[in-house]
Amino acid sequence: MKKVLSFLLALAMVISLLPAAVADDEPIVVTMCLNHSSDLDDGKWYNSNEIKMLRELYNIDLQYQYYDSEQYAMLFAGRDFPDIMTCNADYLDTVRDNGYALNLDEYKDLLPNVFSDTYTATNELSRAMLGGENKELLFLFPCIGPEDTNCDDNTSWGIRLRWDLYKELGCPEIKSADDWIEVMKQMVAMNPTTENGEKVYGIGTWNAFSRFYQTGCMLIDGGNLNPWVYGGTMYMSGWDDCVLYNGYTNLERSAYWTAMKFFNKCWREGLFDEESFYMTSDQLKAKVRAGRYVSAVPYEGKELYNELSKDDPTTTTAIVNIGSNAAFCFANKPQMTGNAPSDNIFINKKCKNLEATLTVLNFFSDPDIVRTCFNGIKGVDWDYDEAGVPHLTEKAISDIQTYGANTDEYYANTGIYGGFSEWTRFTGTGIHPDGYTYDLGKTFEVRAMTLNSWQKNFADYFGVSCPSEYYMQQVNAGLVNDLSGDYGQMVALGITDIPMDIKRIMDECASIAERAMPELIMAQTDEEFAEIQNRLLTEWEEADEATAWAWCENAFNEAKAVVEPAFQMYQQSRK
Amino acid sequence: MQTNLSQSIRPRKKKRNWQLFWILLPMLILVVMFHYVPLAGWALSLFEYKPGYPLLQNKFIGLKYFQMILTKSTTRRVMRNTLIFSSLDFLTLPLPMLLAVLLNEIRSDRFRKLAQVITTLPHFISWVIVYSLAFALFSSEGLLNQLRAELNLPAQSILTDRNAVYWFQTLIALWKGLGWSAIIYIAAIAGIDQELYEAATVDGAGRFRCALHVTIPGLMPTFIVLMLLRVSNFINSGIDQYYVFQNNIIYNNIEVLDLYVYTVGLKKQDYSYAIAAGIMKSFISIALLFIANTTAKKVRGESII
């Protein structure tokens, strides 16, 4: 009896180990690598309309696999990639040199959208800069621009202040960093403590190097620099002239020195929150929600309005861009090569199901699907009118009014603008073949219909339909710099292979800069500041920074010579 | 007769030894797989390795990284911090034993268990939570500074005080690990022959003398073993604690070797350099173990190797 029972149990085990028969309606799985944590939320991925459409139309289940930087490196060490790979600048040469990417030129029949006229220019750039000796089409660029041609109502850049207090002060003009500090002082004097008796500061950030120097980047005087060329280091190109500047030794134009001087002045005025040197991001957000700051560094500060508006939907207490010419306006970024070199897409040469993978790639390269990512289903959320002009439907506008634009509730209830937002082939303000922007919600008219309380208050104050119209008025009048002259990241595409020795020097210099921040910011006098500055210059010299700079500048200029003609043609075409 | 008996015992003993070996084998395989096979990765320190390239396609640079490690000023700073933290930790080595002795002297079972739970609980708290607690207590707006403000004293942030780094981190690590480390001593106390206590009591020894002359000597073998292991891990200070507490103000004082290897190897992706640092660390640890082992053997006649 025991033997019979044992036999039956063993048989059951063996049967359970056999691969299950695949049902006819079982979807084909295509895997995609994600290396942005913002895409992680399952609710924003599998709830997205485009992911559902892929399932319905092609019976393909697009599954994401997230890799942080360490796992990503292990992925390359093991060389077992998902079907669709995203790739940052550090690995472009590795992929090309080792033949990991599929040459898409050999599959034109299966990729009509990828090889359509819409992508001719960017495909050529990809071949020229990343295609190796044979100029193959190995990489595709996500988020091809132009980016933010209408700016953004809730932009993360610019001089951003508490709107309610700023209005109370009479909206004084801010033409420089000193003016910004002066206004913060006045605001803190008006509002020295929160309702709970906690001290209010002018500005604060969390313990991230980028938040400090990005503030310096955006200030026109001494800044106006693109931080994404040699990311994490102080070698940045001008947004206006695309010249590479050495932010360590060039004291006149440096994001680092501009930021340090600014925060040092804030510190001496008692405006800077000392906990910025060791707070985490969550701790900063908690303080923002509690109303502890009257201003914010780039990318921070939005939690204030989000928190207060839950209880009071009419509140105007929000940290917003006030449209000052002391900082650039994040608008009109050409972005001819999308988010490259930070983000690139390639197909794994050894993907499990090539036809399904290429179907996915072709699907997402369809201009109408790009619009679906931004605006929802054609015929339901947007459609063409009799004149052939695309519009959002009443339902779509009602959804934005109900849930708020680009909020979590909006994503959850509509399936729009979800997990694929970082990987669409075009940005929202890119131009669809029908001649209109991909994201129909970016127009002033639509924005005017979907303003929240602070945006409406802001728009009414300045007599415009929406805040972004005010920002663009400033730009179009030449009062505020935009980013239209920039092609630094395009140039950076040609500089991907940095030698380890140079990289090591760059990392060392960046570390020296980062660790010196507290000393510089908390310097009590100009003499003390200058003393620390001189010490740092010596430390960088000892770290052989000059060698790294010579290499980087040379590489930048060589790549720029290749890219500049294409950019100038692009500028001509836009006039 | 005895020869026949020993001959009959030998095959049974051999069979039992084989059985023990088979029981041990899975663990041996795991140890080999996860501790010895990865040593092949040491070869990466001889190349300028980049993930994605087959090893031999990378540039061979020999002992270049080892030379760099020995000459860089960063290495001196990092080793200084590591040695200071390890030395302070070494000085606190007797404290778990002392706690175990004190717990053993508690008459009330319930109170002893409560005390043991309270002292052991911090071990299970993640360092991230510990940092959050420390932030709430010791930051410039933390509870401590709020109390100081009430008493008209100036604010002082321990989390950004370079002079406080060494003793503060040691105290935090002690608070977190004391109860857990005492467990092994508590177990060792349970193994001390009770007749020794009876004999001491008969000789007129009170509780203090029993602890001094019976308990502590009974714990010494355990203490020596743990001390030897601690010496061999002298430059392995771990990363979790220093990673969460690091900030730019105190970085030069808190960066230990393990944190440095992590930053260089994983964050900056300079894998070969980090592996070279790890190799040097391993050799130093092995050397320290043998030195400590030899010393212990000569001094007390006890050793673990």
Side-chain angles (χ1 to χ4, degrees):
Chain A
M1 186 60 192
K2 267 192 191 172
K3 283 186 182 171
V4 169
L5 198 60
S6 304
F7 175 72
L8 288 171
L9 281 171
L11 192 62
M13 257 175 60
V14 168
I15 290 170
S16 69
L17 286 171
L18 287 172
V22 177
D24 283 342
D25 59 352
E26 199 72 22
I28 303 164
V29 173
V30 173
T31 52
M32 179 169 178
C33 160
L34 291 182
N35 52 8
H36 287 192
S37 58
S38 57
D39 305 319
L40 275 185
D41 189 344
D42 278 353
K44 288 189 185 179
W45 182 268
Y46 297 108
N47 197 37
S48 300
N49 291 318
E50 56 273 13
I51 304 294
K52 288 180 192 171
M53 282 175 72
L54 204 53
R55 177 76 93 98
E56 284 161 14
L57 293 173
Y58 300 105
N59 198 30
I60 291 175
D61 187 11
L62 183 63
Q63 294 180 355
Y64 73 83
Q65 291 172 256
Y66 171 67
Y67 298 90
D68 62 24
S69 57
E70 291 155 27
Q71 292 165 328
Y72 197 78
M74 284 172 58
L75 189 67
F76 272 83
R79 286 168 268 168
D80 182 18
F81 304 115
D83 301 319
I84 301 177
M85 271 295 290
T86 56
C87 181
N88 63 29
D90 293 337
Y91 292 94
L92 286 170
D93 291 330
T94 306
V95 171
R96 188 187 52 227
D97 295 347
N98 290 282
Y100 297 140
L102 190 72
N103 179 8
L104 298 176
D105 285 324
E106 295 173 3
Y107 298 92
K108 281 186 179 168
D109 293 340
L110 295 175
L111 297 168
N113 291 326
V114 173
F115 287 95
S116 66
D117 291 341
T118 308
Y119 298 102
T120 302
T122 53
N123 288 348
E124 283 309 309
L125 277 169
S126 174
R127 285 195 186 90
M129 306 199 76
L130 303 175
E133 286 175 4
N134 299 327
K135 305 294 181 205
E136 295 167 335
L137 184 61
L138 304 174
F139 297 98
L140 300 179
F141 306 134
C143 297
I144 299 165
E147 186 179 2
D148 284 337
T149 51
N150 278 348
C151 194
D152 193 286
D153 291 328
N154 207 17
T155 179
S156 297
W157 293 88
I159 308 292
R160 293 158 68 234
L161 291 160
R162 274 266 304 257
W163 169 241
D164 55 330
L165 297 175
Y166 184 62
K167 218 173 71 163
E168 212 174 307
L169 283 174
C171 296
E173 203 179 355
I174 296 179
K175 292 184 287 192
S176 65
D178 288 338
D179 290 345
W180 184 10
I181 291 171
E182 183 55 37
V183 168
M184 279 197 282
K185 270 171 67 177
Q186 292 173 31
M187 285 184 173
V188 170
M190 285 163 60
N191 187 46
T193 60
T194 64
E195 284 172 6
N196 296 334
E198 292 168 311
K199 183 180 173 183
V200 170
Y201 293 93
I203 197 166
T205 178
W206 59 288
N207 184 19
F209 188 31
S210 58
R211 290 292 183 265
F212 286 88
Y213 68 67
Q214 280 166 351
T215 307
C217 282
M218 72 174 185
L219 290 169
I220 296 299
D221 187 14
N224 200 25
L225 295 160
N226 183 339
W228 295 296
V229 175
Y230 283 110
T233 71
M234 292 302 112
Y235 302 148
M236 299 183 186
S237 64
W239 287 111
D240 48 356
D241 55 12
C242 205
V243 170
L244 194 69
Y245 293 92
N246 185 339
Y248 296 111
T249 55
N250 185 335
L251 305 182
E252 303 307 316
R253 192 159 180 191
S254 161
Y256 181 73
W257 290 115
T258 305
M260 291 304 103
K261 285 174 195 161
F262 168 72
F263 287 120
N264 177 242
K265 286 179 186 171
C266 290
W267 169 260
R268 292 195 216 171
E269 297 288 353
L271 297 170
F272 185 74
D273 183 3
E274 187 195 336
E275 290 188 352
S276 302
F277 297 122
Y278 51 92
M279 267 196 294
T280 62
S281 170
D282 288 336
Q283 286 164 340
L284 173 71
K285 285 176 169 45
K287 283 181 134 178
V288 169
R289 280 193 289 269
R292 303 289 304 276
Y293 306 107
V294 298
S295 187
V297 297
Y299 298 107
E300 305 297 346
K302 296 180 185 177
E303 294 77 21
L304 176 64
Y305 177 79
N306 294 342
E307 181 70 15
L308 295 176
S309 61
K310 286 177 196 169
D311 295 328
D312 179 9
T314 63
T315 185
T316 58
T317 305
I319 294 179
V320 311
N321 176 17
I322 52 96
S324 159
N325 62 0
F328 61 59
C329 177
F330 199 96
N332 294 329
K333 192 163 175 277
Q335 202 137 304
M336 284 177 67
T337 49
N339 284 345
S342 311
D343 297 329
N344 309 273
I345 299 169
F346 71 90
I347 301 299
N348 176 13
K349 213 174 195 175
K350 297 180 184 174
C351 63
K352 293 180 184 57
N353 190 323
L354 181 60
E355 196 173 321
T357 306
L358 292 178
T359 301
V360 171
L361 189 64
N362 193 61
F363 174 79
F364 281 105
S365 299
D366 182 343
D368 282 351
I369 298 302
V370 176
R371 185 168 275 158
T372 298
C373 294
F374 292 115
N375 293 139
I377 312 282
K378 184 181 175 188
V380 175
D381 300 297
W382 66 275
D383 212 340
Y384 291 97
D385 62 17
E386 286 162 0
V389 177
H391 292 284
L392 291 178
T393 61
E394 283 179 16
K395 172 199 175 292
I397 293 173
S398 169
D399 284 339
I400 299 173
Q401 288 169 332
T402 306
Y403 304 116
N406 303 337
T407 61
D408 286 345
E409 289 77 18
Y410 180 74
Y411 303 150
N413 287 281
T414 63
I416 297 171
Y417 224 128
F420 230 72
S421 56
E422 299 277 342
W423 299 104
T424 51
R425 293 302 315 274
F426 277 90
T427 65
T429 48
I431 305 298
H432 187 284
D434 63 17
Y436 297 89
T437 56
Y438 281 98
D439 188 348
L440 300 170
K442 294 280 189 187
T443 63
F444 295 148
E445 292 77 20
V446 173
R447 284 177 176 171
M449 288 188 264
T450 56
L451 297 176
N452 63 28
S453 52
W454 80 255
Q455 289 164 349
K456 184 144 190 354
N457 193 269
F458 186 103
D460 289 344
Y461 186 89
F462 288 108
V464 290
S465 59
C466 57
S468 51
E469 187 179 354
Y470 176 71
Y471 305 143
M472 293 315 297
Q473 279 179 355
Q474 307 274 76
V475 168
N476 294 334
L479 298 171
V480 176
N481 287 16
D482 66 0
L483 309 181
S484 55
D486 170 72
Y487 55 108
Q489 279 157 270
M490 239 172 94
V491 174
L493 255 190
I495 322 170
T496 53
D497 194 14
I498 303 175
M500 275 312 290
D501 287 344
I502 300 296
K503 198 165 176 302
R504 207 169 282 125
I505 296 172
M506 291 162 76
D507 287 339
E508 179 66 22
C509 293
S511 294
I512 292 169
E514 185 176 359
R515 280 179 216 151
M517 282 196 309
E519 266 185 292
L520 285 165
I521 291 171
M522 293 196 287
Q524 297 291 345
T525 62
D526 290 345
E527 290 73 28
E528 191 181 338
F529 190 95
E531 196 184 316
I532 301 166
Q533 188 175 63
N534 289 334
R535 195 195 77 218
L536 287 175
L537 290 169
T538 306
E539 282 186 40
W540 285 319
E541 196 182 330
E542 286 169 0
D544 203 14
E545 184 274 326
T547 303
W549 167 244
W551 190 95
C552 289
E553 190 185 25
N554 184 55
F556 184 87
N557 289 336
E558 279 183 0
K560 185 177 165 183
V562 172
V563 164
E564 198 167 15
F567 180 71
Q568 281 168 357
M569 272 178 57
Y570 169 82
Q571 292 286 66
Q572 287 297 325
S573 69
R574 292 206 69 209
K575 281 179 183 163
Chain B
M1 260 321 254
Q2 201 162 355
T3 311
N4 288 340
L5 187 65
S6 65
Q7 278 176 347
S8 69
I9 287 172
R10 231 177 268 141
R12 276 213 315 269
K13 206 172 172 186
K14 265 190 187 170
K15 189 182 172 185
R16 200 166 59 240
N17 284 344
W18 273 110
Q19 285 173 339
L20 289 172
F21 176 73
W22 284 115
I23 292 170
L24 184 61
L25 187 62
M27 299 302 123
L28 270 180
I29 291 172
L30 280 174
V31 166
V32 168
M33 268 176 61
F34 290 104
H35 291 274
Y36 286 93
V37 169
L39 292 180
W42 281 9
L44 269 61
S45 64
L46 303 174
F47 295 84
E48 209 164 74
Y49 175 70
K50 202 170 174 193
Y53 287 91
L55 179 62
L56 295 176
Q57 275 187 27
N58 293 281
K59 185 180 165 191
F60 179 79
I61 42 93
L63 300 176
K64 176 184 166 187
Y65 290 135
F66 295 92
Q67 286 171 337
M68 276 174 66
I69 289 165
L70 290 171
T71 52
K72 276 181 81 122
S73 58
T74 313
T75 315
R76 286 193 289 277
R77 175 173 56 77
V78 156
M79 282 307 296
R80 180 201 72 206
N81 293 337
T82 306
L83 291 174
I84 291 174
F85 281 120
S86 291
S87 301
L88 288 171
D89 184 57
F90 193 79
L91 290 175
T92 64
L93 216 52
L95 294 179
M97 185 171 68
L98 189 59
L99 177 66
V101 171
L102 290 173
L103 285 173
N104 186 55
E105 293 304 320
I106 296 174
R107 289 247 169 98
S108 163
D109 273 349
R110 284 179 74 179
F111 184 69
R112 183 173 62 247
K113 284 179 183 167
L114 180 66
Q116 193 177 348
V117 165
I118 290 171
T119 51
T120 310
L121 209 58
H123 171 78
F124 299 101
I125 301 175
S126 147
W127 276 111
V128 176
I129 307 293
V130 172
Y131 177 74
S132 299
L133 290 170
F135 186 88
L137 291 171
F138 302 117
S139 67
S140 45
E141 292 185 359
L143 187 61
L144 182 66
N145 279 314
Q146 287 176 22
L147 290 171
R148 287 174 70 90
E150 299 273 328
L151 298 170
N152 292 323
L153 293 169
Q156 186 186 15
S157 175
I158 296 176
L159 299 178
T160 55
D161 185 353
R162 287 192 194 97
N163 296 328
V165 171
Y166 298 128
W167 64 259
F168 182 67
Q169 295 300 322
T170 302
L171 281 179
I172 292 236
L174 191 63
W175 166 79
K176 197 172 183 300
L178 187 64
W180 178 258
S181 303
I183 290 175
I184 199 164
Y185 291 107
I186 293 169
I189 289 172
I192 296 175
D193 192 348
Q194 292 302 308
E195 285 184 4
L196 292 173
Y197 288 104
E198 289 165 10
T201 308
V202 163
D203 287 344
R207 289 172 64 192
F208 179 75
R209 283 192 179 275
C210 280
L212 195 61
H213 296 292
V214 179
T215 311
I216 290 177
L219 289 177
M220 285 315 287
T222 308
F223 179 79
I224 296 292
V225 168
L226 292 177
M227 188 190 71
L228 288 175
L229 291 173
R230 188 66 195 92
V231 168
S232 69
N233 281 318
F234 205 72
I235 55 173
N236 296 333
S237 28
I239 179 181
D240 301 353
Q241 174 183 0
Y242 307 106
Y243 183 83
V244 296
F245 277 94
Q246 66 175 321
N247 60 66
N248 288 321
I249 299 177
I250 61 170
Y251 199 83
N252 285 342
N253 294 65
I254 204 171
E255 189 182 25
V256 294
L257 187 58
D258 286 333
L259 181 59
Y260 176 65
V261 169
Y262 169 78
T263 306
V264 167
L266 293 179
K267 281 177 81 171
K268 295 180 183 172
Q269 300 182 340
D270 198 348
Y271 301 104
S272 300
Y273 184 87
I275 290 169
I279 291 170
M280 291 186 71
K281 196 172 79 123
S282 298
F283 280 120
I284 294 172
S285 297
I286 293 170
L288 284 172
L289 175 64
F290 278 101
I291 291 169
N293 189 69
T294 309
T295 309
K297 205 169 187 176
K298 284 198 170 144
V299 170
R300 281 186 61 91
E302 291 171 355
S303 65
I304 53 175
I305 303 172

